Amino acid sequence: MRDDIDEILVSEAQIRRRVAELGARITAEYRSRDLVLLGMLNGAAVFTADLMRRIDRPLRLDFAAADSYGRRAESGRLHWRLDGGADIAGRHVLVVEDIVDTGKTLQGLVERLGQRKPAGIRTCALLNKPARREIPIDPDYVGFEIPDRFAVGYGLDFAGFYRNLPFIGALKEDVIRRTS
Ligand code: IMP
Ligand code: MG
């Protein structure tokens, strides 16, 4: 598995530090609010589990899963495999995502969740690839900006694998070519 990694983009220690910083910021900015953490499966499962333990506020946890219809999906066209976030009316939702690439998934999520009349929606992405953005949307909280490489590990996958790597690495180009 590690032989398929070209270079480490974010180390375990860097992740640990940054997750603690994000948790501290969220703790400070959500004082006396009714917070629902909505983790997006499967990619944000690891990040959500770590982040929630760094937020020192009362919160509820829920998960949802949405796939965009292929890589060329139109904005907002999401297929919900698990339609979580039912109980968000009147509450402050913090959507936790693995990565924002074109922005289509995040945009679709915010649109859909907005229909359920939450008190507010903010978004937190572990990784951000601003170079590939097609929809002008930015997460409110970002762990790391990364270059235009295919990232795996710490929850992120390629063809379903590599999610259990404890760091974030860039996949070797020949591995991507061989599989896709
Ligand atoms: P977007 O809708 O183009 O912003 O894509 C977001 C989704 O594409 C993420 O939730 C990931 O599932 C997937 N994705 C985009 N870039 C990467 C990457 O570098 N590694 C793993 N998954 C990615
Ligand atoms: Mg995803």
Side-chain angles (χ1 to χ4, degrees):
M1 190 165 62
R2 290 181 192 231
D3 294 344
D4 296 345
I5 302 302
D6 189 36
E7 60 172 315
I8 294 183
L9 296 175
V10 191
S11 72
E12 283 188 73
Q14 286 176 305
I15 294 171
R16 206 177 312 116
R17 264 200 307 276
R18 189 73 183 125
V19 169
E21 285 171 7
L22 288 173
R25 256 187 72 195
I26 292 164
T27 300
E29 292 176 12
Y30 277 86
R31 267 187 197 296
S32 75
R33 290 188 187 185
D34 200 352
L35 175 59
V36 178
L37 219 57
L38 186 65
M40 297 306 302
L41 297 174
N42 296 334
V46 179
F47 179 39
T48 305
D50 282 347
L51 181 66
M52 69 181 291
R53 285 174 286 178
R54 295 297 190 159
I55 300 174
D56 190 14
R57 298 287 315 155
L59 60 80
R60 293 181 175 88
L61 174 67
D62 205 350
F63 287 100
D67 304 307
S68 42
Y69 289 110
R71 300 289 285 174
R72 316 233 171 281
E74 281 170 42
S75 103
R77 296 291 297 151
L78 292 181
H79 165 71
W80 292 72
R81 271 190 294 124
L82 172 65
D83 196 2
D87 262 353
I88 59 171
R91 295 183 176 143
H92 292 271
V93 184
L94 181 60
V95 178
V96 184
E97 257 286 25
D98 52 359
I99 183 166
V100 181
D101 188 29
T102 64
K104 289 170 180 171
T105 304
L106 196 67
Q107 149 112 343
L109 284 173
V110 168
E111 262 176 37
R112 170 67 163 256
L113 294 169
Q115 294 164 1
R116 297 178 187 174
K117 307 275 181 279
I121 304 179
R122 283 192 191 173
T123 56
C124 176
L126 173 68
L127 303 176
N128 191 24
K129 268 191 205 171
R132 295 204 7 116
R133 198 72 93 251
E134 291 175 28
I135 310 276
I137 184 171
D138 281 311
D140 298 292
Y141 303 93
V142 172
F144 303 92
E145 306 233 318
I146 60 164
D148 185 9
R149 302 287 309 271
F150 200 86
V152 294
Y154 196 69
L156 286 94
D157 77 302
F158 176 66
F161 291 102
Y162 307 102
R163 294 193 198 276
N164 52 325
L165 285 173
F167 54 83
I168 294 157
L171 210 52
K172 285 180 181 165
E173 290 297 330
D174 64 291
V175 174
I176 298 175
R177 265 195 310 266
R178 221 189 302 141
T179 316
S180 43

